[in-house]
Amino acid sequence: MLETLQSATVESSVGPLFLAVSVRGLVALEFDQRLPGQQTIRPNPRDLRVEPNGIRFSESEEAVQPFVRELHEYFQGKRRDFSFPLDLRGTEFQVACWRALLAIPYGETRTYADIARSVGRPQGFRAVGMANNRNPIAIVVPCHRVIASDGTLCGYGGGLDIKRKLLELEGALSGMFAA
């Protein structure tokens, strides 16, 4: 069965963001600029009809507006938590990791090892890193709050500059190295 997701690309203080929404909630929030090889839910620009994963996209700024409003409040420093529903799609392990990310408080960070322990896989920090890499809902599912065990910033789909900006916005870099 073919599913239609409402989608739009919107401007933000960290650049253009692509949003896709189902009847259950936000399915994807992706940076316009992606790293090579990074996964995307977006349709192939050469063939906007139907993607092989059974999803059709329908451009709708109106459908994404409630999500965009809360994102703008977040970027203005007026919102710490998002109230809209999420439609998390992934393996059981990925969804467990993403839920662990959602539990990281605004303004705080955790290591990959912390997340691995929280999902019951204490030696699975690399697997957690891969789940973070596959996180389809950037910013809202805050994989930017995950840092290396030595306290350094590493691995972010939007790039380390955006990761640093998001952590600075949340005040999570105070007390850490700020470089």
Side-chain angles (χ1 to χ4, degrees), residues 3-11 16-23 25-30 32 40-45 47-51 55-68 71 89 136:
E3 178 183 21
T4 299
L5 297 180
Q6 306 299 315
S7 64
T9 300
V10 299
E11 286 300 320
L17 300 172
F18 173 81
L19 287 82
V21 193
S22 73
V23 295
L26 185 63
V27 174
L29 193 166
E30 299 177 354
D32 195 48
T40 179
I41 192 173
R42 280 185 266 191
N44 181 334
D47 181 6
L48 294 176
R49 294 181 305 260
V50 176
E51 287 297 296
I55 296 173
R56 177 177 45 215
F57 292 85
S58 175
E59 185 78 19
S60 175
E61 299 236 352
E62 183 179 331
V64 302
Q65 196 51 46
F67 304 91
V68 171
L71 280 166
R89 299 177 180 194

Side-chain angles (χ1 to χ4, degrees), residues 1-2 11 14-15 20-21 23 26 32 46 52 57 63 68 78 82 98 109 123-124 126-127 156 160 166 168 178:
M1 187 165 124
L2 189 62
E11 286 300 320
V14 293
V21 193
V23 295
L26 185 63
D32 195 48
R46 290 171 288 199
F57 292 85
V68 171
K78 297 177 181 174
F82 297 97
W98 301 335
T109 58
Q123 301 303 312
R126 284 190 184 92
Y156 191 62
L160 292 183
L166 295 172
E168 286 172 353

Side-chain angles (χ1 to χ4, degrees), residues 87-95 98 136:
D87 184 356
L88 296 173
R89 299 177 180 194
T91 66
E92 187 177 327
F93 178 73
Q94 288 171 332
V95 171
W98 301 335

